Amino acid sequence: MKIQTRLTLLLIAVSAVVITAAGIFTALSLDAYFTSRIALELSTQTRQVDYLLRTAVPEGGSYSMLTQLAGAGGFRLTLIDRTGIVLFDSEVASDRLATLENHLNRPEVLMAAREGAGSDTRHSATIGKDLFYLATRIDAPLPSSSGFQQAAYLRLAIPLTAVQEVQKEISSKILITSFLILLLVTALAFFLSRRLAQPIEDMAATAQRIQAGQLDQRIAVRSNDELGRLAASLNSMVDTLNADITKLRKLEQVRSEFLGNVSHELRTPIFAIQGMLETLLGGAIDDKEVNASFVESALRNTERLNSLLADLIEISSIESGEMKMSFRYFPVKAFLESVVTEMLPGAARKDIALTLNEIPPDLEVLGDKERLRQVMVNLIDNAVKYSEPRRSVSVRAERAGTGVTISVADTGFGIPAEDIPRIFERFYRVDRERSREAGGTGLGLAIVKHIVEAHGGRVAVESAAGKGSTFSFSLPAA
């Protein structure tokens, strides 16, 4: 069942219950109202009859006078003695009074005996009508002139025929009005349920289209209520999903490129080694002029494979979160001096001047010393590799605000501006041939970037083709 149908039926059912309850309450209220009005009128008439019996009844003419009085007033008048014997009844001839039942046990009489006045509604077998009875106790005896000095209870009764007709007419009008209201409520329920259900149905339809892959679909936000907020939330979720899918596609592309690059980087030295070994096995192993150079070349390619695999393991460990950091405060001066000293022989072989600026001995930074050693070795090694002989590479450390900025500057080939945003990508090379000749794996700067970011920093690059490059990053100072 559609949500619109359920809402419509629910609203109609609730309205029907409310209208029915209201009709029943109105009918009961009207019944109570008419009953109280009749009781009030009969109470007034009872006092009038009592007064007439005491003051205006002529000698010997009380029975016919009271009968005429009751007829003119439109009520039934009955006088009853203490034992329940009927002394007078305006609807019964005097000679038939003896045939009437004893009235002592009538509900209104019993109540009048206890409380002074009592009422009851029932069908009268005597006259064959539904009557409302009101009886009052006569505390002071009537005068003997009335002929009813033994009367203990004065009872008036009025036929309910007129009242029942009025009630029936009112009930009929209530029923018709309730039916018309229910029709109006049904129309209103249909309108409201459609208005409430339409946005939900639209959401469901849009969600199905999104599920089918139409990620450009969006739900119209038509209000600021719960449905409007839900629509906005769903749209936001789809936007996030779109972004996530874009990221996944990009990651898939990066993964594909990575696998391709790894395959290419591994294939080159493997093919070289394979070719050299095949040549040696083909007879060159006995040629003293070439066998040693072939073995040396195979060894260099093996070393290159080893470096490549080591870097791959390193970057995989960093990106998977397996690499644990051990942060400590340590002196910058002693740290950089040891790194520069380690790198001096390599720089000297290329006739590169590697220098370190003056650093205060008490200057300390917070970081993982061994991981930062990897960063400095990679940056200095790159600076030396991509610089021509008789150039210089300088390492500096300076206080900058609450931190320390460490930089490596060279006067080498430099990096074109269009390549700078991509140099930290895995296997990205500005000049592939020169990079391979220099012995790089293409992963050094990616490792540098990850380690620096794990320290909460960022690697900055300033470079221009033919003018050299400066790589720098900051660490918290003690």
Side-chain angles (χ1 to χ4, degrees):
M1 188 181 293
K2 294 175 63 176
I3 189 169
Q4 179 182 343
T5 306
R6 292 203 299 270
L7 283 172
T8 302
L9 293 177
L10 177 62
L11 289 172
I12 292 173
V14 171
S15 301
V17 170
V18 172
I19 292 170
T20 302
I24 294 172
F25 176 77
T26 303
L28 293 175
S29 299
L30 285 172
D31 185 65
Y33 170 76
F34 283 121
T35 300
S36 63
R37 285 297 303 269
I38 292 170
L40 181 61
E41 291 178 4
L42 289 183
S43 178
T44 302
Q45 290 175 332
T46 299
R47 290 194 296 272
Q48 292 174 348
V49 171
D50 183 88
Y51 178 78
L52 289 173
L53 286 171
R54 294 180 186 278
T55 61
V57 177
E59 198 68 38
S62 59
Y63 205 100
S64 59
M65 177 186 171
L66 291 177
T67 300
Q68 293 173 1
L69 176 63
F75 53 80
R76 179 183 179 185
L77 172 60
T78 307
L79 294 173
I80 307 166
D81 69 7
R82 295 188 184 279
T83 62
I85 296 173
V86 177
L87 303 177
F88 172 82
D89 193 310
S90 60
E91 298 293 330
V92 181
S94 59
D95 57 356
R96 292 183 57 243
L97 289 176
T99 63
L100 297 178
E101 294 179 0
N102 189 287
H103 282 38
L104 189 61
N105 291 324
R106 296 291 193 269
E108 67 276 6
V109 175
L110 291 173
M111 190 180 297
R114 292 192 310 269
E115 303 175 12
S119 62
D120 188 34
T121 301
R122 65 178 179 275
H123 185 77
S124 173
T126 305
I127 63 174
K129 294 180 181 179
D130 291 333
L131 298 175
F132 177 83
Y133 295 91
L134 179 69
T136 58
R137 188 178 60 217
I138 301 175
D139 294 323
L142 296 174
S144 57
S145 60
S146 66
F148 300 108
Q149 61 272 20
Q150 294 179 351
Y153 303 101
L154 191 158
R155 188 185 73 176
L156 297 183
I158 185 173
L160 295 177
T161 305
V163 174
Q164 289 172 340
E165 288 178 356
V166 172
Q167 287 181 318
K168 185 177 179 180
E169 183 180 356
I170 292 175
S171 297
S172 176
K173 290 181 179 178
I174 290 175
L175 184 62
I176 294 172
T177 303
S178 299
F179 178 73
L180 293 175
I181 292 174
L182 187 59
L183 286 178
L184 179 63
V185 167
T186 301
L188 186 62
F190 179 80
F191 171 76
L192 290 176
S193 62
R194 181 169 181 79
R195 181 160 185 165
L196 288 171
Q198 191 62 49
I200 299 175
E201 292 176 358
D202 290 344
M203 289 182 198
T206 304
Q208 288 177 345
R209 289 194 293 271
I210 292 171
Q211 185 181 17
Q214 300 179 31
L215 298 179
D216 59 333
Q217 295 292 310
R218 292 297 179 273
I219 300 169
V221 180
R222 298 188 179 94
S223 62
N224 292 322
D225 57 10
E226 290 82 356
L227 288 176
R229 291 196 293 272
L230 176 59
S233 297
L234 290 174
N235 287 338
S236 178
M237 287 173 60
V238 175
D239 291 336
T240 304
L241 180 62
N242 256 330
D244 290 342
I245 290 174
T246 301
K247 289 179 183 176
L248 287 173
R249 287 173 178 166
K250 187 175 182 181
L251 287 173
E252 178 61 25
Q253 181 181 357
V254 169
R255 186 186 73 86
S256 179
E257 290 178 357
F258 175 71
L259 291 175
N261 287 329
V262 168
S263 300
H264 181 74
E265 294 294 332
L266 290 173
R267 188 182 299 114
T268 302
I270 288 173
F271 282 175
I273 294 170
Q274 181 182 355
M276 292 171 191
L277 291 175
E278 288 175 350
T279 302
L280 289 172
L281 289 173
I285 193 169
D286 297 322
D287 188 343
K288 294 182 179 180
E289 293 183 3
V290 296
N291 58 8
S293 64
F294 273 36
V295 171
E296 288 175 359
S297 180
L299 178 61
R300 286 195 300 273
N301 278 283
T302 303
E303 289 173 348
R304 183 181 174 191
L305 277 175
N306 185 51
S307 297
L308 178 61
L309 291 174
D311 284 350
L312 282 172
I313 293 170
E314 185 73 22
I315 200 165
S316 176
S317 173
I318 293 171
E319 291 182 346
S320 66
E322 294 178 3
M323 183 185 72
K324 304 299 180 185
M325 295 285 185
S326 178
F327 291 91
R328 298 285 189 276
Y329 282 105
F330 59 89
V332 180
K333 181 180 175 65
F335 167 69
L336 291 179
E337 282 178 345
S338 68
V339 175
V340 170
T341 300
E342 179 185 337
M343 303 299 292
L344 276 173
R349 282 194 294 270
K350 282 196 66 175
D351 196 16
I352 301 293
L354 177 59
T355 60
L356 175 66
N357 76 315
E358 287 295 325
I359 302 172
D362 61 343
L363 184 60
E364 293 188 341
V365 294
L366 177 66
D368 186 315
K369 192 174 181 180
E370 293 307 312
R371 296 299 178 186
L372 291 172
R373 179 178 292 277
Q374 286 180 266
V375 170
M376 294 307 301
V377 168
N378 270 316
L379 291 179
I380 295 172
D381 186 54
N382 280 351
V384 171
K385 284 178 179 176
Y386 302 113
S387 293
E388 295 175 342
R390 294 181 298 280
R391 296 297 180 98
S392 64
V393 174
S394 61
V395 179
R396 304 181 64 84
E398 299 173 325
R399 183 179 289 277
T402 59
V404 173
T405 298
I406 299 174
S407 62
V408 177
D410 64 57
T411 55
F413 305 118
I415 305 169
E418 64 271 15
D419 290 314
I420 289 178
R422 300 194 60 188
I423 59 174
F424 293 102
E425 294 179 11
R426 293 171 295 186
F427 295 114
Y428 185 81
R429 290 185 173 94
V430 177
D431 187 333
R432 291 188 176 274
E433 293 304 320
R434 181 180 291 167
S435 296
R436 287 199 180 92
E437 289 173 5
T441 64
L443 295 172
L445 287 180
I447 293 173
V448 167
K449 175 177 177 288
H450 283 298
I451 293 176
V452 171
E453 288 179 350
H455 282 75
R458 187 178 66 87
V459 185
V461 183
E462 293 181 6
S463 184
K467 295 183 180 180
S469 305
T470 300
F471 288 78
S472 59
F473 60 93
S474 295
L475 297 172

